[in-house]
């Protein structure tokens, strides 16, 4: 059995005095597309914030390749290859597409390489290279956000609510790209509230409720149990 | 959109590089709420100081008329008072730090929420 690429063991974390995660256990193997599903307020985004070092856990372990990395800074993790595409399109709205891409050269990558990768992945961005990012459509902003993360050549990509506010067709296209990335060997952890598109490309899925992962299994099984979980079934009634 | 992703790929050069970079990460083992240790230490010092003070009076000084032993009791009692003062100071400082951290987080959250609402209504 190989060492998981990313592992959370009994993670407790929150904001100030309020705990949001109450002992999260998660294992992401290399090459997996892991879908973390749950209703609003379940703690999905907080889980990603812990994974990327933005929030320090009050208890538990964050492991990368079997090594505990609690307390490591976000930029160090990003340089190592753990990249986050944040919720709500993490672009600089008052900068152009090209300038946004230039921002991702922080890891020491050549700007030409960044552009080549970004426009190779999302050709429609090339036509809008001089346009302000804030004036792009929602889908294009999301593509720009993703391309910035991909420019850093991530080994582990974390996607937060990729589909938020986007038309189903655009969501479908973005998840096609996610599936291609996974085939190229990038391990992916996706957090989503709406599961339709994500479960078709994922290899493992979990349901998160009230700061705990209550069920993990194959996407097909999780899809069947999702409605019950979202509609307020007791966490104890779901099989472990 | 069916995908065949069930078989994990073999360890790619990128994953090997990732492993090497993770091994080189500087890990501080940080925990949230770093004030917690200070507050606990403060509370312990307060309690220890109080116990020392009571013991100095009832255990050392009160049962004897020996001025030397009463002098020792005074020293122990003053030590207890010192512990309590320092402990109270630590407890108050770290409690306030914790409170202000929470207050700041709340303020940032509300500002972001307000910005999102403004952007949404525009």
């Amino acid at each position: 059995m190989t060492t998981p690429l990313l592992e959370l063991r009994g993670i407790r974390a929150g904001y100030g005095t309020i705990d949001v995660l109450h002992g999260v256990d998660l294992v992401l193997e290399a090459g997996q597309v892991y879908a973390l599903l749950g209703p609003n307020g379940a703690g999905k985004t907080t889980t990603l914030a812990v994974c990327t070092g933005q929030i320090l856990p009050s208890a538990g372990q964050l492991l990368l390749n079997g090594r505990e990395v609690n307390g490591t800074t976000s930029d160090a993790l990003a340089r190592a290859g753990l990249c986050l595409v944040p919720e709500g399109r993490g672009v600089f709205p008052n900068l152009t597409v090209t300038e946004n891409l230039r921002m991702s050269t922080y890891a020491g990558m050549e700007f030409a390489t960044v552009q080549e990768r970004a426009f190779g992945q999302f050709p429609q961005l090339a036509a809008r290279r001089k346009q302000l990012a804030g004036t792009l459509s929602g889908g294009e902003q999301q593509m720009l956000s993703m391309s910035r993360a991909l420019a850093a050549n991530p080994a582990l990509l974390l996607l937060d609510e990729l589909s938020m506010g986007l038309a189903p067709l655009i969501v479908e296209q973005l998840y096609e790209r996610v599936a291609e990335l996974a085939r190229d060997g990038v391990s992916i952890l996706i957090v989503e509230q709406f599961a339709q598109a994500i479960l078709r490309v994922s290899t493992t899925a979990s349901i998160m409720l009230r700061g705990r992962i209550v069920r993990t299994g194959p996407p097909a099984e999780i899809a069947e149990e999702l409605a019950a979980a979202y509609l307020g079934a007791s966490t104890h009634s779901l099989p472990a | 959109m069916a995908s065949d992703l069930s078989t994990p790929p073999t360890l790619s050069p990128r994953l090997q590089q990732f492993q090497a970079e993770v091994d080189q990460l500087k890990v501080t083992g940080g925990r949230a709420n770093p004030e917690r240790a200070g507050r606990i230490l403060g509370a312990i010092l307060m309690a220890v100081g109080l116990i020392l003070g009571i013991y100095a009076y009832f255990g050392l000084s009160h049962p004897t008329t020996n001025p030397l032993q009463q002098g020792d009791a005074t020293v122990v009692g003053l030590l207890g008072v010192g512990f309590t003062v320092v402990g109270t100071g630590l407890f108050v400082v770290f409690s306030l730090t914790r409170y202000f951290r929470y207050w700041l987080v709340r303020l940032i959250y509300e500002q972001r929420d307000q910005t999102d609402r403004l952007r949404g209504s525009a």
Side-chain angles (χ1 to χ4, degrees):
Chain A
M1 192 177 159
T2 56
T3 310
L5 202 61
L6 170 73
E7 189 175 0
L8 303 183
R9 285 185 194 160
I11 288 288
R12 289 176 173 274
Y15 304 90
T17 53
I18 302 165
D19 261 359
V20 175
L21 305 181
H22 308 284
V24 171
D25 295 295
L26 184 151
V27 175
L28 172 69
E29 304 284 349
Q32 266 190 337
V33 179
Y34 193 115
L36 185 58
L37 308 165
N40 195 20
K44 306 182 298 294
T45 299
T46 308
T47 304
L48 290 190
V50 168
C51 293
T52 52
Q54 295 175 68
I55 293 179
L56 287 170
S58 53
Q61 292 176 296
L62 166 66
L63 297 108
L64 287 179
N65 272 322
R67 185 181 180 214
E68 186 177 337
V69 292
N70 289 34
T72 308
T73 57
S74 303
D75 61 312
L77 290 173
R79 279 174 216 278
L82 192 156
C83 290
L84 170 73
V85 176
E87 184 183 356
R89 294 149 217 170
V91 297
F92 298 97
N94 53 344
L95 298 183
T96 64
V97 170
T98 310
E99 287 164 345
N100 264 279
L101 291 175
R102 197 177 285 280
M103 298 298 281
S104 57
T105 55
Y106 63 87
M109 198 164 287
E110 288 290 324
F111 180 54
T113 315
V114 171
Q115 267 192 321
E116 191 187 319
R117 279 192 189 159
F119 298 151
Q121 292 277 348
F122 302 104
Q124 54 265 64
L125 289 179
R128 300 186 183 278
R129 63 179 73 202
K130 288 184 180 169
Q131 192 170 328
L132 287 180
T135 63
L136 297 173
S137 70
E140 287 166 344
Q141 286 187 32
Q142 197 63 278
M143 287 171 196
L144 179 58
S145 184
M146 260 182 90
S147 63
R148 278 221 328 258
L150 296 177
N153 190 20
L156 178 53
L157 186 63
L158 311 181
L159 303 171
D160 193 0
E161 304 275 5
L162 200 63
S163 68
M164 186 182 269
L166 298 180
L169 194 65
I170 303 290
V171 174
E172 193 88 354
Q173 285 174 6
L174 286 171
Y175 278 119
E176 288 269 12
R177 191 68 63 203
V178 169
E180 282 172 25
L181 288 170
R183 277 191 285 270
D184 289 344
V186 180
S187 307
I188 300 168
L189 172 61
I190 314 174
V191 154
E192 271 288 357
Q193 199 173 338
F194 305 103
Q196 291 288 333
I198 187 181
L199 286 175
R200 273 177 281 176
V201 299
S202 56
T203 53
T204 308
S206 284
I207 301 174
M208 187 172 213
L209 293 176
R210 294 185 285 275
R212 286 188 181 85
I213 289 180
V214 295
R215 176 83 169 93
T216 301
E221 285 178 20
I222 295 296
E224 287 171 15
E225 294 165 20
L226 210 56
Y230 275 33
L231 291 172
S234 161
T235 56
H236 301 294
S237 65
L238 292 166
Chain B
M1 183 174 36
S3 58
D4 182 22
L5 304 167
S6 51
T7 317
T10 52
L11 212 59
S12 65
R14 178 66 187 98
L15 278 180
Q16 288 172 4
Q17 188 192 349
F18 181 64
Q19 277 187 352
E21 282 172 6
V22 166
D23 289 341
Q24 287 169 6
L25 280 177
K26 189 183 168 190
V27 179
T28 60
R31 285 273 186 273
N33 302 327
E35 301 86 19
R36 192 167 173 262
R39 283 171 58 239
I40 291 171
L41 180 67
I44 290 171
L45 279 178
M46 269 196 289
V48 168
L50 207 65
I51 291 165
L52 272 183
I54 293 167
Y55 173 68
Y57 180 71
F58 290 107
L60 293 178
S61 178
H62 196 66
T64 182
T65 53
N66 183 350
L68 197 65
Q69 200 172 342
Q70 285 181 335
D72 289 346
T74 307
V75 171
V76 173
L78 284 174
L79 209 63
V81 171
F83 277 8
T84 305
V85 169
V86 171
T88 308
L90 282 176
F91 188 81
V92 170
V93 165
F94 284 107
S95 295
L96 282 176
T97 311
R98 186 166 179 255
Y99 172 74
F100 284 122
R101 176 201 290 274
Y102 171 69
W103 179 74
L104 192 65
V105 168
R106 184 76 215 165
L107 205 68
I108 292 167
Y109 172 80
E110 281 176 4
Q111 277 178 348
R112 281 186 184 173
D113 195 43
Q114 182 72 11
T115 311
D116 288 346
R117 260 184 284 163
L118 281 173
R119 198 185 288 168
S121 63

